[in-house]
Amino acid sequence: KLNQLLTEKLLKNWGVNVLISDNGQGALDILKKEKVDVVLMDIRMSGMNGYEATKAIREEFSEPVNKIPIIGISANAFSEEIIKAKAYGMDDYLGKPFRPEILYEKISSIANNENYTNKPRMQIPQKNRNNKKTLNLKYIMDAAAGDKSFILEVLNNFIKQTGEILEDMDNAIEQSNWETIHSLAHQMKPSFSYLGVKKLGIICQNIEDCAIKKKNLPKIKGLATRIHKAFQNIKKEIKEEIIKIKG
């Protein structure tokens, strides 16, 4: 949800009309009713996933809809996944989290639409020189473009969503539910990156790797504990930021 929220904000900042679906079938339903220039297709969705939805668009729709440009989006930007995305009919691929200017360039080139004129400035990542701070909210601040209500919405959503995912993660670990463990770690990974907490993104990737191999549950439990502890500190920092923003 956090990734969806940030992406929607970026697109609207560039003057793009946005239609959203939380699953592949919903995306197909939109294409049956609306004229769409380009599709940003999340690979991992409940029900029909991004691969299946793309295959359906290419095989079940008539022209020009079956030729619509599709950009796959996933937190796993591995070469084999990119190859798989192309094999299912996606035109391009983008790993989460992504820099706004990269998303803009991909959409502009693939959709060949000259109406998107509010091009984002190229940003050089700045190092967080305050060693006491865990968060780096530059990405979110840039996406918000001064919209304080949006920043507050993102931060509050992060606290709520991450807390729920961690609770579900604990239950999945107790039940040795490898698939759910993998899915939940995958969900958290881009959210931490958006908030500049890259170390926790790496921990999430380690959990994913263990879950795929279906081994080393004690290691996963230890990694989850580290995320829990870090999340408590992050919540404190976020609440401080919220107070500052509200002024």
Side-chain angles (χ1 to χ4, degrees), residues 179-197:
E179 184 176 348
T180 299
I181 292 170
H182 178 273
S183 176
L184 293 171
H186 186 84
Q187 288 180 52
M188 282 192 293
K189 186 166 57 177
S191 296
F192 287 131
S193 296
Y194 287 131
L195 270 69
V197 195

Side-chain angles (χ1 to χ4, degrees), residues 2 75 158 161-167 169 181-194 197 200-201 203-204 207-208 224 227-228 231:
L2 184 61
F158 172 81
Q161 178 180 302
T162 305
E164 291 172 352
I165 290 175
L166 285 172
E167 184 176 341
M169 174 78 76
I181 292 170
H182 178 273
S183 176
L184 293 171
H186 186 84
Q187 288 180 52
M188 282 192 293
K189 186 166 57 177
S191 296
F192 287 131
S193 296
Y194 287 131
V197 195
L200 293 186
I203 292 176
C204 288
I207 292 175
E208 280 190 72
I227 295 177
H228 269 290
F231 179 57

Side-chain angles (χ1 to χ4, degrees), residues 25-39:
Q25 184 57 56
L28 300 185
D29 293 340
I30 288 175
L31 290 177
K32 291 175 182 177
K33 302 175 183 177
E34 306 287 345
K35 184 181 183 299
V36 177
D37 295 315
V38 62
V39 174

Side-chain angles (χ1 to χ4, degrees), residues 195-213:
L195 270 69
V197 195
K198 294 182 178 180
K199 289 183 179 179
L200 293 186
I202 294 172
I203 292 176
C204 288
Q205 183 61 59
N206 290 337
I207 292 175
E208 280 190 72
D209 293 341
C210 291
I212 288 174
K213 297 173 183 176

Side-chain angles (χ1 to χ4, degrees), residues 62-86:
S62 57
E63 291 191 24
V65 179
N66 65 350
K67 303 294 185 183
I68 191 169
I70 299 175
I71 301 174
I73 299 179
S74 174
N76 288 338
F78 302 128
S79 58
E80 57 268 25
E81 191 151 0
I82 296 174
I83 293 171
K84 185 177 179 181
K86 296 292 183 68

Side-chain angles (χ1 to χ4, degrees), residues 2 134-135 154-170 188 191-192 195 197 199-201 203-204 223-240:
L2 184 61
T134 302
L135 296 177
V154 169
L155 295 179
N156 284 317
N157 276 357
F158 172 81
I159 291 176
K160 181 177 183 295
Q161 178 180 302
T162 305
E164 291 172 352
I165 290 175
L166 285 172
E167 184 176 341
D168 291 341
M169 174 78 76
D170 291 340
M188 282 192 293
S191 296
F192 287 131
L195 270 69
V197 195
K199 289 183 179 179
L200 293 186
I203 292 176
C204 288
L223 292 172
T225 299
R226 288 174 61 185
I227 295 177
H228 269 290
K229 290 180 179 178
F231 179 57
Q232 297 307 312
N233 293 328
I234 290 171
K235 280 200 298 185
K236 291 179 182 178
E237 288 188 29
I238 287 177
K239 289 176 180 178
E240 291 173 1

